[in-house]
Amino acid sequence: MLNDKKTKELCDKIYYFAKKKKGFAEICKELELKDYEVVGLITLMNQQGYNIDFVNGEVLVMKTPQKTQDVYELPYNLEHLKLLLISDTHLASKYDRIDILRYLYAKAEDEGVQHILHAGDFTDGRSNRAEQVYELREPSYEGQIDYCVEKYPHFSGQTYVIQGNHDDWWYKSAGSEIVKSIAKQRDDIVYLGPDVADLKIGNLKIRLFHGSGAGAYAKSYKLQKYLDAIPMDERPDILQTGHIHQSFYMKQDNTHCFQTACLEDQTPYTRSKGLANDKSVWWVDVDFDDKGKIHSITPALETFGDKKIFTRKKRK
Ligand SMILES: [Fe+2]
């Protein structure tokens, strides 16, 4: 990963200039680097999953990965990839945990993570349950967008996100995709669509799925039935699901299934229903062999309590 401090600084600058649509010659001049040095850094960034490329003498940045047959594809050809899987942040709820997000994004930066996957319920949305308004910091569509754009931690990599049923309430009531509107204002958030999306990082096939409806008697039941419905040759290597605010991991056939919990404290609604709001995330290490095939996938669960986390800002 881009852990060498100087290399990372140069790559971040190239990415910044490219997003500002500076030309290749101008970027070389700004960084006082030879053309082949800049091309080398762009190649390195491309290998590590940045949506940046050098085509016909120009540096191109595509915020959303290329989509082939409904699959978003990111290049990647290093031997190790570390991912952070999160879900159900329910932002703009009074019970959201921006402090945990700040801690996680700082840790992701420290550990060279460039890809964070979010399985939906990015916002708390606005339901037709009348009393939900008392649980919100921001009840309006614009208010929730502004809150997320301003408060969501900034990241040198990218967060890939789908919508969940809470985000979809805005779609049902007003035909608006709130996460799409948020992502338009943030270069480090990539919206992959409502409810479900397929992403490929190198040879690693990932499906993000939010889910809907009430939880089953056994928490793995719905996920097992969902996986069973996918033909064996179309199954992902990683299936990440959200919605039920509880975590578990299982491997079924060749698919590693991660149920990601939430990053929201218990609300009056979940308390009244006797539902848990289990706050946790999955860190996932993926190792590839020398042909780029998956050698191993290793999960680690990190859990959080109710106590607020203070993250010190690093001095530059
Ligand atoms: Fe949720």
Side-chain angles (χ1 to χ4, degrees):
M1 304 302 290
L2 295 172
N3 273 342
D4 173 63
K5 203 175 165 200
K6 181 72 183 161
T7 306
K8 188 167 187 325
E9 265 174 32
L10 287 170
C11 290
D12 286 348
K13 282 182 184 169
I14 291 172
Y15 200 56
Y16 173 79
F17 289 143
K19 281 197 288 190
K20 296 279 175 195
K21 303 207 182 316
K22 288 207 178 201
F24 178 63
E26 212 178 341
I27 292 174
C28 296
K29 197 174 163 193
E30 289 270 7
L31 298 177
E32 298 179 350
L33 291 174
K34 304 279 186 205
D35 52 1
Y36 60 82
E37 290 174 315
V38 174
V39 172
L41 287 168
I42 291 169
T43 306
L44 185 65
M45 293 165 77
N46 185 265
Q47 287 170 346
Q48 298 194 11
Y50 282 80
N51 274 318
I52 191 165
D53 213 344
F54 184 67
V55 183
N56 291 333
E58 283 306 327
V59 189
L60 299 179
V61 168
M62 295 174 296
K63 187 184 154 191
T64 306
Q66 278 192 321
K67 199 175 184 187
T68 314
Q69 293 176 334
D70 277 343
V71 180
Y72 292 95
E73 297 197 39
L74 286 165
Y76 197 86
N77 62 5
L78 300 186
E79 287 179 356
H80 179 247
L81 171 69
K82 186 159 186 162
L83 302 169
L84 171 60
L85 312 186
I86 64 175
S87 187
D88 294 79
T89 42
H90 288 265
L91 294 164
S93 159
K94 287 176 183 169
Y95 304 91
D96 69 16
R97 291 295 301 271
I98 289 276
D99 60 314
I100 300 177
L101 284 169
R102 285 195 193 110
Y103 158 81
L104 287 168
Y105 275 74
K107 183 171 174 178
E109 293 283 6
D110 283 348
E111 300 198 357
V113 173
Q114 287 292 312
H115 307 85
I116 296 180
L117 310 180
H118 190 308
D121 279 2
F122 193 84
T123 67
D124 205 44
R126 184 76 179 86
S127 81
N128 56 10
R129 181 168 59 84
E131 64 275 22
Q132 191 230 4
V133 74
Y134 299 114
E135 299 174 6
L136 292 172
R137 297 176 192 276
E138 293 289 348
S140 73
Y141 183 71
E142 291 81 6
Q144 293 198 0
I145 291 171
D146 290 349
Y147 177 83
C148 294
V149 169
E150 188 188 327
K151 301 278 185 193
Y152 201 82
H154 288 264
F155 185 40
S156 70
Q158 284 181 308
T159 300
Y160 299 91
V161 57
I162 56 171
Q163 288 211 147
N165 57 307
H166 276 246
D167 308 302
D168 283 344
W169 283 333
W170 289 115
Y171 187 74
K172 285 176 182 160
S173 63
S176 303
E177 290 174 82
I178 189 166
V179 182
K180 190 179 192 177
S181 300
I182 294 162
K184 271 186 185 170
Q185 296 187 59
R186 285 285 300 262
D187 284 338
D188 54 350
I189 298 173
V190 180
Y191 176 54
L192 299 182
D195 312 320
V196 61
D198 289 317
L199 179 68
K200 209 170 164 205
I201 305 177
N203 284 325
L204 182 74
K205 285 166 69 179
I206 300 165
R207 173 165 294 183
L208 298 179
F209 175 67
H210 185 75
S212 61
Y217 175 69
K219 60 184 173 183
S220 65
Y221 179 76
K222 279 189 161 184
L223 203 155
Q224 282 177 272
K225 298 303 287 180
Y226 179 79
L227 195 63
D228 284 344
I230 305 174
M232 195 63 88
D233 59 350
E234 292 175 21
R235 289 189 186 179
D237 303 301
I238 287 178
L239 171 62
Q240 183 193 348
T241 57
H243 187 58
I244 65 169
H245 295 203
Q246 294 178 64
S247 63
F248 72 89
Y249 163 82
M250 68 173 191
K251 183 170 177 287
Q252 184 165 312
D253 303 315
N254 291 319
T255 300
H256 296 255
C257 304
F258 296 91
Q259 171 68 51
T260 24
C262 67
L263 293 174
E264 180 194 40
D265 285 331
Q266 196 172 48
T267 67
Y269 175 74
T270 54
R271 191 177 297 116
S272 73
K273 295 285 177 190
L275 301 169
N277 263 10
D278 164 18
K279 295 180 284 292
S280 62
V281 300
W282 289 103
W283 297 92
V284 180
D285 285 283
V286 184
D287 288 297
F288 300 93
D289 65 18
D290 54 7
K291 293 193 174 83
K293 296 237 166 82
I294 297 153
H295 173 68
S296 65
I297 294 178
T298 312
L301 182 71
E302 183 167 9
T303 61
F304 301 94
D306 293 337
K307 202 171 166 193
K308 192 168 167 59
I309 300 174
F310 292 95
T311 309
R312 280 191 189 161
K313 278 189 181 171
K314 280 189 179 172
R315 283 188 192 166
K316 293 207 171 176

